[in-house]
Amino acid sequence: MIRHSLFALTAAFGLSACTSQPDYRAAETAPPTVLQVDLTRYAGLWYEIARYPNSFENNCAGVTAEYVQRADGRIDVINTCHKGSVDGPVEVAKGMARVMEQSGNARLKVKFAPSWVPFAWGDYWILHLEPDYSAVLVGDPSGKYLWILAREKSLDAGTLARIETRAEELGYETGPLEMTDQG
């Protein structure tokens, strides 16, 4: 059974600018993103490998994010969380992303709130992308949010270390990253 309860509501406002989420990035300048993202290759299912702690993913396991290109150029975003364990009840948050101009498709704005809510767009920046699109580092420039995603439920230690090193090079703390239970 899919529930759209508190997970969807908190995700709707979780990326908004008016949050008390801690910053895990001290740098004053925005981090560089990857130069170019092929959105057709980026679309599809991603498994969350690690994340910064955040209120809208409390007690979530088996987390996935699915991106579906739309005819209008926007992207549907479907985030899934299993509460408590990978076998726990499923909660789904549906949102939408739009590409920021002149970003090579690497800077997006994501919104999980209803269309009538004007200020709920959050930054979704692609900070590192494996050449074969098998893993990605995504975050916001403030350091409030950071995720490592992969096409498979697990990521080899070498790739994970390389992505964490890239995060550190960009000024993000990696100590707060929580590994996601994918079962």
Side-chain angles (χ1 to χ4, degrees), residues 101-126:
E101 291 182 24
Q102 301 176 352
S103 72
N105 297 332
R107 292 182 181 184
L108 293 90
K109 291 285 192 179
V110 178
K111 181 177 183 178
F112 287 91
S115 59
W116 54 267
V117 177
F119 302 109
W121 291 96
D123 288 317
Y124 179 102
W125 288 18
I126 300 171

PDB file of all heavy atoms in Angstrom, residues 101-126:
ATOM      1  N   GLU A 101      18.679  27.399 -16.467  1.00  0.00           N
ATOM      2  CA  GLU A 101      19.279  27.810 -17.732  1.00  0.00           C
ATOM      3  C   GLU A 101      20.804  27.823 -17.670  1.00  0.00           C
ATOM      4  O   GLU A 101      21.389  28.130 -16.633  1.00  0.00           O
ATOM      5  CB  GLU A 101      18.773  29.197 -18.128  1.00  0.00           C
ATOM      6  CG  GLU A 101      17.317  29.217 -18.510  1.00  0.00           C
ATOM      7  CD  GLU A 101      16.853  30.593 -18.949  1.00  0.00           C
ATOM      8  OE1 GLU A 101      17.695  31.399 -19.378  1.00  0.00           O
ATOM      9  OE2 GLU A 101      15.647  30.844 -18.868  1.00  0.00           O
ATOM     10  N   GLN A 102      21.416  27.491 -18.783  1.00  0.00           N
ATOM     11  CA  GLN A 102      22.867  27.552 -18.962  1.00  0.00           C
ATOM     12  C   GLN A 102      23.630  26.778 -17.885  1.00  0.00           C
ATOM     13  O   GLN A 102      24.677  27.210 -17.428  1.00  0.00           O
ATOM     14  CB  GLN A 102      23.337  29.000 -19.017  1.00  0.00           C
ATOM     15  CG  GLN A 102      22.704  29.771 -20.141  1.00  0.00           C
ATOM     16  CD  GLN A 102      23.095  31.231 -20.155  1.00  0.00           C
ATOM     17  OE1 GLN A 102      23.741  31.733 -19.248  1.00  0.00           O
ATOM     18  NE2 GLN A 102      22.722  31.921 -21.214  1.00  0.00           N
ATOM     19  N   SER A 103      23.114  25.602 -17.512  1.00  0.00           N
ATOM     20  CA  SER A 103      23.792  24.803 -16.494  1.00  0.00           C
ATOM     21  C   SER A 103      24.288  23.475 -17.049  1.00  0.00           C
ATOM     22  O   SER A 103      24.797  22.663 -16.295  1.00  0.00           O
ATOM     23  CB  SER A 103      22.840  24.534 -15.324  1.00  0.00           C
ATOM     24  OG  SER A 103      21.831  23.605 -15.701  1.00  0.00           O
ATOM     25  N   GLY A 104      24.120  23.254 -18.344  1.00  0.00           N
ATOM     26  CA  GLY A 104      24.505  21.969 -18.910  1.00  0.00           C
ATOM     27  C   GLY A 104      23.672  20.832 -18.353  1.00  0.00           C
ATOM     28  O   GLY A 104      24.116  19.689 -18.320  1.00  0.00           O
ATOM     29  N   ASN A 105      22.478  21.144 -17.879  1.00  0.00           N
ATOM     30  CA  ASN A 105      21.556  20.195 -17.249  1.00  0.00           C
ATOM     31  C   ASN A 105      22.054  19.685 -15.903  1.00  0.00           C
ATOM     32  O   ASN A 105      21.532  18.711 -15.375  1.00  0.00           O
ATOM     33  CB  ASN A 105      21.263  18.997 -18.156  1.00  0.00           C
ATOM     34  CG  ASN A 105      20.581  19.387 -19.436  1.00  0.00           C
ATOM     35  OD1 ASN A 105      19.862  20.381 -19.492  1.00  0.00           O
ATOM     36  ND2 ASN A 105      20.810  18.627 -20.483  1.00  0.00           N
ATOM     37  N   ALA A 106      23.047  20.324 -15.313  1.00  0.00           N
ATOM     38  CA  ALA A 106      23.621  19.862 -14.050  1.00  0.00           C
ATOM     39  C   ALA A 106      23.036  20.569 -12.829  1.00  0.00           C
ATOM     40  O   ALA A 106      23.270  20.150 -11.704  1.00  0.00           O
ATOM     41  CB  ALA A 106      25.137  20.034 -14.061  1.00  0.00           C
ATOM     42  N   ARG A 107      22.300  21.640 -13.051  1.00  0.00           N
ATOM     43  CA  ARG A 107      21.657  22.357 -11.944  1.00  0.00           C
ATOM     44  C   ARG A 107      20.158  22.349 -12.176  1.00  0.00           C
ATOM     45  O   ARG A 107      19.674  22.871 -13.184  1.00  0.00           O
ATOM     46  CB  ARG A 107      22.155  23.797 -11.850  1.00  0.00           C
ATOM     47  CG  ARG A 107      23.595  23.893 -11.436  1.00  0.00           C
ATOM     48  CD  ARG A 107      24.016  25.335 -11.311  1.00  0.00           C
ATOM     49  NE  ARG A 107      25.427  25.412 -10.941  1.00  0.00           N
ATOM     50  CZ  ARG A 107      26.063  26.532 -10.688  1.00  0.00           C
ATOM     51  NH1 ARG A 107      25.437  27.692 -10.770  1.00  0.00           N
ATOM     52  NH2 ARG A 107      27.345  26.522 -10.358  1.00  0.00           N
ATOM     53  N   LEU A 108      19.467  21.743 -11.239  1.00  0.00           N
ATOM     54  CA  LEU A 108      18.027  21.666 -11.338  1.00  0.00           C
ATOM     55  C   LEU A 108      17.385  22.278 -10.106  1.00  0.00           C
ATOM     56  O   LEU A 108      18.025  22.419  -9.064  1.00  0.00           O
ATOM     57  CB  LEU A 108      17.578  20.198 -11.464  1.00  0.00           C
ATOM     58  CG  LEU A 108      17.991  19.492 -12.753  1.00  0.00           C
ATOM     59  CD1 LEU A 108      19.331  18.827 -12.583  1.00  0.00           C
ATOM     60  CD2 LEU A 108      16.963  18.473 -13.143  1.00  0.00           C
ATOM     61  N   LYS A 109      16.145  22.629 -10.254  1.00  0.00           N
ATOM     62  CA  LYS A 109      15.297  23.038  -9.143  1.00  0.00           C
ATOM     63  C   LYS A 109      14.239  21.954  -8.999  1.00  0.00           C
ATOM     64  O   LYS A 109      13.624  21.538  -9.988  1.00  0.00           O
ATOM     65  CB  LYS A 109      14.625  24.389  -9.411  1.00  0.00           C
ATOM     66  CG  LYS A 109      15.574  25.559  -9.419  1.00  0.00           C
ATOM     67  CD  LYS A 109      15.989  25.921  -8.018  1.00  0.00           C
ATOM     68  CE  LYS A 109      16.706  27.265  -7.974  1.00  0.00           C
ATOM     69  NZ  LYS A 109      17.074  27.621  -6.605  1.00  0.00           N
ATOM     70  N   VAL A 110      14.033  21.484  -7.771  1.00  0.00           N
ATOM     71  CA  VAL A 110      13.089  20.409  -7.499  1.00  0.00           C
ATOM     72  C   VAL A 110      12.009  20.923  -6.562  1.00  0.00           C
ATOM     73  O   VAL A 110      12.293  21.665  -5.621  1.00  0.00           O
ATOM     74  CB  VAL A 110      13.810  19.191  -6.887  1.00  0.00           C
ATOM     75  CG1 VAL A 110      12.832  18.077  -6.562  1.00  0.00           C
ATOM     76  CG2 VAL A 110      14.883  18.681  -7.826  1.00  0.00           C
ATOM     77  N   LYS A 111      10.788  20.473  -6.821  1.00  0.00           N
ATOM     78  CA  LYS A 111       9.650  20.906  -6.003  1.00  0.00           C
ATOM     79  C   LYS A 111       8.738  19.716  -5.729  1.00  0.00           C
ATOM     80  O   LYS A 111       8.340  19.016  -6.655  1.00  0.00           O
ATOM     81  CB  LYS A 111       8.884  22.003  -6.744  1.00  0.00           C
ATOM     82  CG  LYS A 111       7.704  22.561  -6.016  1.00  0.00           C
ATOM     83  CD  LYS A 111       7.086  23.680  -6.838  1.00  0.00           C
ATOM     84  CE  LYS A 111       5.941  24.340  -6.143  1.00  0.00           C
ATOM     85  NZ  LYS A 111       5.394  25.453  -6.939  1.00  0.00           N
ATOM     86  N   PHE A 112       8.431  19.502  -4.449  1.00  0.00           N
ATOM     87  CA  PHE A 112       7.510  18.449  -4.054  1.00  0.00           C
ATOM     88  C   PHE A 112       6.184  19.002  -3.563  1.00  0.00           C
ATOM     89  O   PHE A 112       5.285  18.267  -3.234  1.00  0.00           O
ATOM     90  CB  PHE A 112       8.140  17.565  -2.970  1.00  0.00           C
ATOM     91  CG  PHE A 112       9.203  16.664  -3.509  1.00  0.00           C
ATOM     92  CD1 PHE A 112      10.527  17.071  -3.525  1.00  0.00           C
ATOM     93  CD2 PHE A 112       8.898  15.421  -4.026  1.00  0.00           C
ATOM     94  CE1 PHE A 112      11.518  16.249  -4.033  1.00  0.00           C
ATOM     95  CE2 PHE A 112       9.868  14.591  -4.543  1.00  0.00           C
ATOM     96  CZ  PHE A 112      11.190  15.001  -4.541  1.00  0.00           C
ATOM     97  N   ALA A 113       6.061  20.311  -3.493  1.00  0.00           N
ATOM     98  CA  ALA A 113       4.842  20.961  -3.026  1.00  0.00           C
ATOM     99  C   ALA A 113       3.860  21.132  -4.182  1.00  0.00           C
ATOM    100  O   ALA A 113       4.246  21.085  -5.348  1.00  0.00           O
ATOM    101  CB  ALA A 113       5.195  22.322  -2.423  1.00  0.00           C
ATOM    102  N   PRO A 114       2.593  21.371  -3.856  1.00  0.00           N
ATOM    103  CA  PRO A 114       1.616  21.628  -4.921  1.00  0.00           C
ATOM    104  C   PRO A 114       2.006  22.848  -5.754  1.00  0.00           C
ATOM    105  O   PRO A 114       2.741  23.727  -5.288  1.00  0.00           O
ATOM    106  CB  PRO A 114       0.322  21.912  -4.140  1.00  0.00           C
ATOM    107  CG  PRO A 114       0.533  21.338  -2.782  1.00  0.00           C
ATOM    108  CD  PRO A 114       2.006  21.397  -2.525  1.00  0.00           C
ATOM    109  N   SER A 115       1.510  22.909  -6.970  1.00  0.00           N
ATOM    110  CA  SER A 115       1.893  23.983  -7.892  1.00  0.00           C
ATOM    111  C   SER A 115       1.566  25.376  -7.357  1.00  0.00           C
ATOM    112  O   SER A 115       2.236  26.335  -7.696  1.00  0.00           O
ATOM    113  CB  SER A 115       1.220  23.780  -9.251  1.00  0.00           C
ATOM    114  OG  SER A 115      -0.189  23.777  -9.087  1.00  0.00           O
ATOM    115  N   TRP A 116       0.564  25.497  -6.506  1.00  0.00           N
ATOM    116  CA  TRP A 116       0.187  26.809  -5.989  1.00  0.00           C
ATOM    117  C   TRP A 116       1.131  27.312  -4.904  1.00  0.00           C
ATOM    118  O   TRP A 116       1.047  28.460  -4.498  1.00  0.00           O
ATOM    119  CB  TRP A 116      -1.253  26.805  -5.489  1.00  0.00           C
ATOM    120  CG  TRP A 116      -1.561  25.724  -4.488  1.00  0.00           C
ATOM    121  CD1 TRP A 116      -2.066  24.479  -4.755  1.00  0.00           C
ATOM    122  CD2 TRP A 116      -1.366  25.773  -3.080  1.00  0.00           C
ATOM    123  NE1 TRP A 116      -2.192  23.756  -3.606  1.00  0.00           N
ATOM    124  CE2 TRP A 116      -1.769  24.531  -2.546  1.00  0.00           C
ATOM    125  CE3 TRP A 116      -0.887  26.742  -2.207  1.00  0.00           C
ATOM    126  CZ2 TRP A 116      -1.708  24.236  -1.190  1.00  0.00           C
ATOM    127  CZ3 TRP A 116      -0.825  26.436  -0.847  1.00  0.00           C
ATOM    128  CH2 TRP A 116      -1.236  25.202  -0.355  1.00  0.00           C
ATOM    129  N   VAL A 117       2.061  26.475  -4.425  1.00  0.00           N
ATOM    130  CA  VAL A 117       3.033  26.911  -3.420  1.00  0.00           C
ATOM    131  C   VAL A 117       4.232  27.501  -4.170  1.00  0.00           C
ATOM    132  O   VAL A 117       4.970  26.779  -4.835  1.00  0.00           O
ATOM    133  CB  VAL A 117       3.479  25.746  -2.509  1.00  0.00           C
ATOM    134  CG1 VAL A 117       4.531  26.214  -1.524  1.00  0.00           C
ATOM    135  CG2 VAL A 117       2.284  25.134  -1.797  1.00  0.00           C
ATOM    136  N   PRO A 118       4.450  28.818  -4.093  1.00  0.00           N
ATOM    137  CA  PRO A 118       5.437  29.469  -4.949  1.00  0.00           C
ATOM    138  C   PRO A 118       6.904  29.304  -4.543  1.00  0.00           C
ATOM    139  O   PRO A 118       7.771  29.311  -5.394  1.00  0.00           O
ATOM    140  CB  PRO A 118       5.039  30.943  -4.885  1.00  0.00           C
ATOM    141  CG  PRO A 118       4.390  31.084  -3.556  1.00  0.00           C
ATOM    142  CD  PRO A 118       3.708  29.770  -3.281  1.00  0.00           C
ATOM    143  N   PHE A 119       7.216  29.172  -3.275  1.00  0.00           N
ATOM    144  CA  PHE A 119       8.616  29.238  -2.844  1.00  0.00           C
ATOM    145  C   PHE A 119       9.159  27.902  -2.352  1.00  0.00           C
ATOM    146  O   PHE A 119       9.953  27.863  -1.436  1.00  0.00           O
ATOM    147  CB  PHE A 119       8.780  30.300  -1.748  1.00  0.00           C
ATOM    148  CG  PHE A 119       8.341  31.661  -2.189  1.00  0.00           C
ATOM    149  CD1 PHE A 119       7.194  32.237  -1.683  1.00  0.00           C
ATOM    150  CD2 PHE A 119       9.062  32.350  -3.147  1.00  0.00           C
ATOM    151  CE1 PHE A 119       6.776  33.488  -2.101  1.00  0.00           C
ATOM    152  CE2 PHE A 119       8.656  33.601  -3.579  1.00  0.00           C
ATOM    153  CZ  PHE A 119       7.511  34.173  -3.054  1.00  0.00           C
ATOM    154  N   ALA A 120       8.743  26.819  -2.946  1.00  0.00           N
ATOM    155  CA  ALA A 120       9.145  25.498  -2.461  1.00  0.00           C
ATOM    156  C   ALA A 120      10.175  24.813  -3.360  1.00  0.00           C
ATOM    157  O   ALA A 120      10.411  23.631  -3.219  1.00  0.00           O
ATOM    158  CB  ALA A 120       7.910  24.612  -2.300  1.00  0.00           C
ATOM    159  N   TRP A 121      10.792  25.552  -4.268  1.00  0.00           N
ATOM    160  CA  TRP A 121      11.796  24.965  -5.150  1.00  0.00           C
ATOM    161  C   TRP A 121      13.119  24.856  -4.398  1.00  0.00           C
ATOM    162  O   TRP A 121      13.566  25.808  -3.775  1.00  0.00           O
ATOM    163  CB  TRP A 121      12.001  25.821  -6.405  1.00  0.00           C
ATOM    164  CG  TRP A 121      10.821  25.814  -7.331  1.00  0.00           C
ATOM    165  CD1 TRP A 121       9.823  26.733  -7.382  1.00  0.00           C
ATOM    166  CD2 TRP A 121      10.512  24.838  -8.325  1.00  0.00           C
ATOM    167  NE1 TRP A 121       8.915  26.395  -8.361  1.00  0.00           N
ATOM    168  CE2 TRP A 121       9.313  25.238  -8.958  1.00  0.00           C
ATOM    169  CE3 TRP A 121      11.137  23.664  -8.744  1.00  0.00           C
ATOM    170  CZ2 TRP A 121       8.725  24.501  -9.983  1.00  0.00           C
ATOM    171  CZ3 TRP A 121      10.552  22.946  -9.773  1.00  0.00           C
ATOM    172  CH2 TRP A 121       9.372  23.357 -10.375  1.00  0.00           C
ATOM    173  N   GLY A 122      13.755  23.689  -4.475  1.00  0.00           N
ATOM    174  CA  GLY A 122      15.052  23.484  -3.843  1.00  0.00           C
ATOM    175  C   GLY A 122      16.114  23.166  -4.872  1.00  0.00           C
ATOM    176  O   GLY A 122      15.821  22.663  -5.970  1.00  0.00           O
ATOM    177  N   ASP A 123      17.362  23.458  -4.534  1.00  0.00           N
ATOM    178  CA  ASP A 123      18.478  23.186  -5.442  1.00  0.00           C
ATOM    179  C   ASP A 123      18.814  21.705  -5.465  1.00  0.00           C
ATOM    180  O   ASP A 123      18.898  21.052  -4.420  1.00  0.00           O
ATOM    181  CB  ASP A 123      19.725  23.964  -5.010  1.00  0.00           C
ATOM    182  CG  ASP A 123      19.595  25.447  -5.285  1.00  0.00           C
ATOM    183  OD1 ASP A 123      19.118  25.792  -6.376  1.00  0.00           O
ATOM    184  OD2 ASP A 123      19.974  26.244  -4.412  1.00  0.00           O
ATOM    185  N   TYR A 124      19.029  21.184  -6.655  1.00  0.00           N
ATOM    186  CA  TYR A 124      19.446  19.809  -6.900  1.00  0.00           C
ATOM    187  C   TYR A 124      20.588  19.914  -7.905  1.00  0.00           C
ATOM    188  O   TYR A 124      20.344  20.076  -9.098  1.00  0.00           O
ATOM    189  CB  TYR A 124      18.264  19.007  -7.464  1.00  0.00           C
ATOM    190  CG  TYR A 124      18.563  17.556  -7.779  1.00  0.00           C
ATOM    191  CD1 TYR A 124      18.158  16.551  -6.911  1.00  0.00           C
ATOM    192  CD2 TYR A 124      19.208  17.187  -8.953  1.00  0.00           C
ATOM    193  CE1 TYR A 124      18.392  15.210  -7.212  1.00  0.00           C
ATOM    194  CE2 TYR A 124      19.453  15.857  -9.255  1.00  0.00           C
ATOM    195  CZ  TYR A 124      19.040  14.875  -8.381  1.00  0.00           C
ATOM    196  OH  TYR A 124      19.279  13.547  -8.674  1.00  0.00           O
ATOM    197  N   TRP A 125      21.809  19.903  -7.379  1.00  0.00           N
ATOM    198  CA  TRP A 125      22.977  20.091  -8.240  1.00  0.00           C
ATOM    199  C   TRP A 125      23.732  18.773  -8.385  1.00  0.00           C
ATOM    200  O   TRP A 125      24.007  18.092  -7.390  1.00  0.00           O
ATOM    201  CB  TRP A 125      23.905  21.148  -7.649  1.00  0.00           C
ATOM    202  CG  TRP A 125      23.376  22.553  -7.743  1.00  0.00           C
ATOM    203  CD1 TRP A 125      22.093  22.956  -7.969  1.00  0.00           C
ATOM    204  CD2 TRP A 125      24.134  23.746  -7.584  1.00  0.00           C
ATOM    205  NE1 TRP A 125      22.017  24.320  -7.968  1.00  0.00           N
ATOM    206  CE2 TRP A 125      23.248  24.829  -7.734  1.00  0.00           C
ATOM    207  CE3 TRP A 125      25.482  23.989  -7.323  1.00  0.00           C
ATOM    208  CZ2 TRP A 125      23.668  26.147  -7.642  1.00  0.00           C
ATOM    209  CZ3 TRP A 125      25.898  25.310  -7.233  1.00  0.00           C
ATOM    210  CH2 TRP A 125      24.998  26.373  -7.392  1.00  0.00           C
ATOM    211  N   ILE A 126      24.074  18.439  -9.603  1.00  0.00           N
ATOM    212  CA  ILE A 126      24.844  17.227  -9.886  1.00  0.00           C
ATOM    213  C   ILE A 126      26.320  17.610  -9.792  1.00  0.00           C
ATOM    214  O   ILE A 126      26.852  18.302 -10.654  1.00  0.00           O
ATOM    215  CB  ILE A 126      24.453  16.642 -11.253  1.00  0.00           C
ATOM    216  CG1 ILE A 126      22.954  16.293 -11.224  1.00  0.00           C
ATOM    217  CG2 ILE A 126      25.309  15.422 -11.578  1.00  0.00           C
ATOM    218  CD1 ILE A 126      22.372  15.908 -12.557  1.00  0.00           C
TER     219      ILE A 126
END
